[in-house]
Amino acid sequence: MQGMKSLLGAGVLTAAVLVAGCATVGQDFATHNVDEIRIDQTTRAEIQEMFGEPWRTGLEDGKRTWTYGKYRWSAFSDAETTDLVVRFNADGTVDSYVYNTTGE
C-alpha cells in the first residue's frame, strides 16, 4: 500500500511540473488567408470575416489596430507563436499588417 501511495504521489508531482511548465495566451485563428489581405482595399468587415474577432484591439499612431495571436511557451520545448497585427485607415481599409510565426 505504501508503494502505491508513493507511485501516486510521484504521478501527481510529475503532472504538476508538466502543467506548470507550459503557458498559452491568445486564441487560434485561421492563417491560410493572410496572403489575401490587400493594402487600401481589404475592409475591417472582410478582416473579421477571414479571421474572426480580434484577440486585442487598440490604437497605434492614431490608427485602429486589431491583433490576432496565439502564444504558447513551454519549459520543455521551443515557443510556438503566431500573430497578425492589422492597422486600419480612417476609411476602414487596411493600412498595413504584420504576420509572424515560429515553431511551425
Side-chain angles (χ1 to χ4, degrees), residues 78-82 101-104:
D78 293 336
E80 296 177 22
T81 64
T82 302
T101 186
T102 62
E104 288 187 357

Side-chain angles (χ1 to χ4, degrees), residues 52-101:
E53 290 293 323
W55 177 58
R56 295 184 322 171
T57 61
L59 292 174
E60 183 176 317
D61 296 328
K63 296 188 184 280
R64 184 183 302 231
T65 303
W66 287 3
T67 302
Y68 297 87
K70 183 168 185 180
Y71 312 92
R72 184 175 187 280
W73 297 273
S74 171
F76 309 105
S77 64
D78 293 336
E80 296 177 22
T81 64
T82 302
D83 60 28
L84 170 66
V85 179
V86 184
R87 290 169 199 82
F88 295 98
N89 294 311
D91 67 359
T93 59
V94 172
D95 174 68
S96 64
Y97 69 94
V98 177
Y99 173 70
N100 294 294
T101 186

